[in-house]
Amino acid sequence: MSRQVLQVFEQYQKSRTQFVQTVAELASRPQNIETLQNAGVMSLLRPLLLDIVPTIQQTAALALGRLANYNDDLAEAVVRGDILPQLVYSLAEQNRFYKKAAAFVLRAVAKHSPGLAQSVVDCGALDALVICLEEFDPGVKESAAWALGYIARHNAELAQAVVDAGAVPLLVLCIQEPEMALKQIAASALSDICKHSPELAQTVVDAGAIAHLAQMILNPDAKLKRQVFSALSQIAKHSVDLAEMVVEAEIFPAILTCLKDKDEYVKKNVATLIREIAKHTPELSQLIVNAGGVAAVVDYIGESKSNVRLPGIMMLGYVAAHSENLAMAVIVSKGVVQLAIALSEEQEDHIQAAAAWALGQIGRHSPEHAKAVAVANVLPKLLQCYLRADASEDLQTKAKKALKNILQKCVHLPALEPLLHDAPPNILKHVVGQFSKVLPHDSKARRLFVTSGGLKKVQEIKAEPGSALSEYINAINNCYPEEIVKYYSPGYSDALLERVEQYAPKV
């Protein structure tokens, strides 16, 4: 009889084991998820989290994690099923395998939305996860760091809750551990905490994170470098003080070599970091210029495409915006050429808008700056972006502003002339205004303006009497003899023919 009882229990254990293993395996494939959900698998897995056999507990947690990871409906079902408190309780009690699986479930629930992440916090998970960061096993630390990062990434309140639970100093210790995966996840979690506010970033800085992150910028592991550069840029973006602290960790010129990294995300995150530093002050931009940063970013824009290009484009705009000298540094480094190529090549409006903005920042300083932009044949392209019917409002606004900024300084007339024929009245006003400034003082330009058809075009413009455009046209006309102006005025040839007809020759 006792042998029979034993066999029943063995069979029962074998069945439970087979069940959770099969469900965990099925849950790893998206096509099975809906069927499992409809079969009510959640309520069947929940009691197995308290099973007397540790492997059954762990596998049940793994299966729940895979289900919750799939979509927010299933994650909500985990919350509604009152499973989270059970997992949190077990985090403190069970072995390392269970802890990893339980942390995975918490992460899978938290990732979907701030509301679900708040549910994880409300069930007391933060304290348990922070304790896991002190575990000896690196896998447990990694799982806990991952869950904490997923909670912190949603908003400042959740990130603050992670900070208040004491996670930051332990995450900084984790990035110093030898295990590569743990370093990656800890750096990612620090980045997720830093991004929301200067205060949260300062908390990470106060824990000594910058020095340890800076030591890893030349690490051969691409995934680690992605997270390191992401965390440093999330710190640097908030304020001048924080950006200066990042720079003081002596990241230049070493990080410039990473702009040529094989990994696209590494390159993009480095360019983003340089952009976040450059935007704050002329002094920080000058430091980047002195380190060879502008030339390196110009090369990077030339070698990149689409969204990878974007932070580099914006970085040049920020540098150029600060001062004439810094804008000239961008010009000397062939920045205008690469920005002009990006403006022409890129298909997405937001990237074209960034290139237009950056070119406007370079050209707005002086006639010399404006000429450097104009000779790259940028003005017709900006006009095209502004006039394009399907262009986004942001692209139209930035193209228009860039055009005005450059035109108001541009005295290089050959670049302006094509716009006389294509520009709408609100842009034409600025073009004609520049001709009215230059022509009175340049006889060669006056002659060229006649032979190229510019003067004829100006006579065809219909301007409101007393408007700025009308005044500019009058100023141009005053540069020429009256008969020349008449000759190129619309209808003058007809008037001449009429006079021919009416003319009675002397016999």
Side-chain angles (χ1 to χ4, degrees), residues 131-143:
I131 290 167
C132 286
L133 288 179
E134 298 183 83
E135 283 277 331
F136 177 74
D137 184 78
V140 174
K141 289 181 186 173
E142 184 191 327
S143 297

Side-chain angles (χ1 to χ4, degrees), residues 116 137 216 332 443:
L116 284 164
D137 184 78
M216 297 186 285
V332 169
S443 58

Side-chain angles (χ1 to χ4, degrees), residues 92 95 132 211 252 299 335 375 408 474 478 493:
N95 67 26
C132 286
F252 287 103
D299 288 347
V375 296
Q408 283 166 355
N474 289 338
N478 289 338
S493 56

